Amino acid sequence: MTENGVGPDLVTHNIVLSAFKSGAQYWKALSYFELMKGTNIRPDTTTLNIIIHCLVKLRQYGKAVHIFNSMREKESGSRPDVVTFTIIINLYSISGQIDNCRAVFNTMLSEGLQPNIVSYNALIGAYASLGSSKEALSVFKEMKKNNFWPDVVSYTSLLNAYGRSKQPEKAREIFDQMKQNNCKPNVVSYNALIDAYGSNGFLAEAIEVLREMEQNGVQPNIVSICTLLAACGRCRRKVNIDSILTAAECRGIELNTVAYNSAIGSYMNVGEHEKALKLYKLMRKKKVKPDSVTYNVLISGCCKMSKYKESLEFLEEMMDLKVPLSKEVYSSVICAYSKQASVLTNLSLCYHFHYLNLKEISSHTSPPSLHNFRAQLEIVERRLGQVTEAESMFAMMKMAGCSPDVITYTTMIHAYNAVGNWEKVSALLQEMQMNDVQLDVIACSAIMRAFNKGCQPAKVMSLAEFMRDKGIPFSDAIYYEMLSACSM
């Protein structure tokens, strides 16, 4: 076309962009759009809808919203349509800003645009993602009132809402209602019902849904298997994990990274450490690439079983493979370092105090031998070294842009408690408050323990007042720390 001196028109540009979008080549679409800007052809609404879609897929939400807002300006020649608004609703749903989803939907109505069933489904799905079943049902009813007949996506989204709000029986009602209204459930619908039962501890019912879907000619997929494996871990059923893996193999369903993660995590949850490691080795043998979730499951699982050395070995392997460290991995590794330190705490501290007070020991007490002293000193140094490693990992986490949550901070507090450093704990408390990290009762208890160890009763009582003001419930551990502070 260009060889004959004829440049592509807007329709041609949109066809090319649409092809990139359909092929999930989002970066190529954006690059092509940049080239298009250098021509005299102005993009229309279809063009910009494609670009916004690609930006959302690439998680460049700010740029997507910027284009959307520019389309709404008076001088814009490309006004947003119902497709544009629906994409933006999905954007806010993905990023967890559910209130904005309703606001965008209402803006669409106020600008005279009539929503379609895709728009309604997007809003129901947004509420479902947070388990807001009342709001999801309200939109579902609103859609029917405006003469839109619910489709399989509508029903499945509502079913998801009930599953995530811990109402599996309601999810079943919606599923049955869907069939009564001649709307045939698909594999996504069945998987949603399996998850509704499985995530709420009803493993037998979840497995029965799997049988039901096969009887109705709907073949389970890898999502079905992953959902059941995760349910086994939550319900702590050892036998069922093996059965589901066998069922997947018999049906020719190849496990992917997510499935292996679910199975390994489930084995760890039921204390089957050896089976978890065996499955991980099989995963590597089959050249299924482990991700950050895989290593977090392995590291945190090893920590729960006090296998701290193994957990740190997995960290080394993870870094060798250049797998990005997530917030969860950082937290698990910090836990490993701090726990490995705290295991040695009682023995090493006792000996340390014994050495410091050597002159006050009565004459009938035998002094420690040089050999024992050196051995115990090495323990102290190792313990302090592990806390230093935890500090380094904590600092690396923040430098990598991962904001520590209350669990991570609490892990560091326990680490400092192990070495009796209440000043560091106090500094962490200030950092948490400055970063708007919401304290919970576990964190407060650990902080109070540090203050009591450091003979800071006033700080304990001050934190208690803070808890009252913020409505943080008092546990037995909190009352114990307050009594300890009052007795000083």
Side-chain angles (χ1 to χ4, degrees):
M1 179 183 286
T2 53
E3 289 176 0
N4 295 326
V6 180
D9 58 9
L10 179 59
V11 175
T12 308
H13 281 306
N14 285 346
I15 290 171
V16 174
L17 286 170
S18 182
F20 284 136
K21 184 191 87 169
S22 300
Q25 295 177 299
Y26 307 120
W27 283 113
K28 285 188 177 181
L30 297 183
S31 299
Y32 188 88
F33 181 62
E34 289 301 316
L35 292 173
M36 183 180 167
K37 286 180 182 178
T39 68
N40 293 325
I41 298 174
R42 295 187 63 184
D44 64 359
T45 300
T46 301
T47 314
L48 296 178
N49 284 347
I50 293 171
I51 297 305
I52 292 173
H53 175 90
C54 292
L55 288 169
V56 172
K57 289 293 184 180
L58 293 169
R59 298 189 177 185
Q60 297 189 19
Y61 304 136
K63 290 182 179 179
V65 171
H66 176 73
I67 293 175
F68 171 68
N69 289 334
S70 67
M71 290 173 74
R72 296 183 60 220
E73 293 174 359
K74 290 182 179 180
E75 61 273 15
S76 172
S78 305
R79 300 291 297 171
D81 58 10
V82 66
V83 175
T84 322
F85 277 97
T86 303
I87 296 171
I88 297 300
I89 291 171
N90 281 322
L91 179 157
Y92 284 124
S93 175
I94 294 166
S95 58
Q97 302 178 58
I98 308 305
D99 290 341
N100 285 345
C101 294
R102 184 79 229 195
V104 170
F105 190 87
N106 291 340
T107 301
M108 176 172 62
L109 297 176
S110 67
E111 294 190 4
L113 292 171
Q114 292 300 314
N116 56 25
I117 192 167
V118 180
S119 312
Y120 279 113
N121 286 344
L123 189 57
I124 295 170
Y127 285 124
S129 66
L130 290 185
S132 302
S133 54
K134 289 182 181 179
E135 291 81 356
L137 180 60
S138 176
V139 177
F140 186 82
K141 290 179 177 177
E142 180 185 331
M143 177 177 69
K144 292 171 71 175
K145 184 179 177 182
N146 289 326
N147 299 317
F148 286 100
W149 197 251
D151 61 8
V152 65
V153 177
S154 318
Y155 281 112
T156 303
S157 296
L158 185 57
L159 193 160
N160 262 323
Y162 282 120
R164 290 174 185 173
S165 60
K166 302 186 184 302
Q167 301 179 76
E169 69 289 342
K170 284 281 188 181
R172 181 79 221 197
E173 285 178 20
I174 296 299
F175 187 82
D176 292 339
Q177 188 184 119
M178 173 169 45
K179 292 193 291 184
Q180 290 166 8
N181 291 332
N182 296 319
C183 183
K184 188 177 179 181
N186 58 19
V187 65
V188 180
S189 312
Y190 279 104
N191 287 343
L193 187 57
I194 289 171
D195 184 58
Y197 280 126
S199 61
N200 289 291
F202 297 93
L203 183 58
E205 289 82 353
I207 293 173
E208 185 58 38
V209 174
L210 183 73
R211 295 194 184 100
E212 181 184 333
M213 71 188 289
E214 289 187 305
Q215 289 170 1
N216 291 330
V218 180
Q219 292 304 310
N221 59 12
I222 191 64
V223 177
S224 318
I225 300 300
C226 289
T227 306
L228 283 172
L229 286 170
C232 288
R234 280 189 288 265
C235 298
R236 298 185 177 277
R237 303 284 178 85
K238 298 180 182 181
V239 178
N240 289 100
I241 302 171
D242 298 334
S243 301
I244 291 165
L245 288 173
T246 303
E249 187 177 357
C250 293
R251 289 163 176 77
I253 300 174
E254 289 289 333
L255 301 188
N256 59 12
T257 302
V258 177
Y260 276 110
N261 291 348
S262 295
I264 292 168
S266 294
Y267 276 133
M268 286 292 192
N269 282 342
V270 299
E272 292 279 6
H273 176 258
E274 294 304 322
K275 283 190 176 182
L277 294 188
K278 184 178 178 182
L279 194 59
Y280 171 68
K281 288 175 183 176
L282 178 64
M283 177 186 188
R284 298 299 306 275
K285 184 179 178 181
K286 294 209 170 196
K287 300 189 185 308
V288 178
K289 191 175 180 181
D291 61 8
S292 182
V293 176
T294 315
Y295 285 106
N296 182 53
V297 167
L298 289 166
I299 292 169
S300 60
C302 288
C303 279
K304 287 176 184 176
M305 297 178 197
S306 301
K307 297 179 182 292
Y308 307 117
K309 185 179 178 182
E310 280 189 36
S311 70
L312 298 179
E313 286 172 356
F314 279 122
L315 172 66
E316 289 180 17
E317 184 178 317
M318 182 182 185
M319 296 180 79
D320 287 341
L321 294 174
K322 297 182 179 178
V323 177
L325 274 70
S326 66
K327 180 188 291 187
E328 291 76 20
V329 171
Y330 278 115
S331 297
S332 296
V333 171
I334 291 169
C335 173
Y337 280 130
S338 61
K339 290 289 186 182
Q340 194 167 345
S342 62
V343 166
L344 302 165
T345 298
N346 291 335
L347 179 61
S348 56
L349 277 183
C350 286
Y351 194 92
H352 190 54
F353 287 133
H354 179 78
Y355 168 70
L356 291 177
N357 296 297
L358 196 57
K359 291 182 180 179
E360 299 175 15
I361 298 176
S362 58
S363 57
H364 65 268
T365 304
S366 301
S369 68
L370 181 60
H371 172 75
N372 285 340
F373 172 73
R374 283 176 176 166
Q376 297 300 330
L377 190 58
E378 283 179 12
I379 290 175
V380 174
E381 287 171 350
R382 281 168 55 200
R383 177 169 52 81
L384 293 172
Q386 292 297 338
V387 174
T388 302
E389 291 287 356
E391 284 182 318
S392 299
M393 186 58 62
F394 188 61
M396 191 189 303
M397 175 184 186
K398 292 188 281 188
M399 287 174 64
C402 289
S403 300
D405 57 13
V406 66
I407 297 173
T408 314
Y409 275 108
T410 305
T411 303
M412 281 305 304
I413 290 165
H414 284 309
Y416 287 134
N417 261 334
V419 293
N421 196 333
W422 73 266
E423 292 95 340
K424 289 284 184 74
V425 171
S426 183
L428 281 182
L429 173 60
Q430 291 177 11
E431 185 179 317
M432 291 172 78
Q433 293 173 330
M434 187 173 63
N435 293 333
D436 293 324
V437 176
Q438 300 298 314
L439 278 84
D440 60 16
V441 65
I442 299 173
C444 290
S445 173
I447 294 168
M448 284 184 175
R449 192 175 310 120
F451 287 155
N452 274 331
K453 283 183 177 181
C455 300
Q456 302 293 318
K459 289 184 178 291
V460 173
M461 303 314 292
S462 175
L463 184 56
E465 287 296 325
F466 173 85
M467 290 179 67
R468 284 197 187 94
D469 292 342
K470 295 294 182 181
I472 301 171
F474 282 32
S475 65
D476 290 343
I478 294 293
Y479 285 118
Y480 175 80
E481 296 299 340
M482 289 172 66
L483 284 171
S484 297
C486 290
S487 65
M488 287 185 188

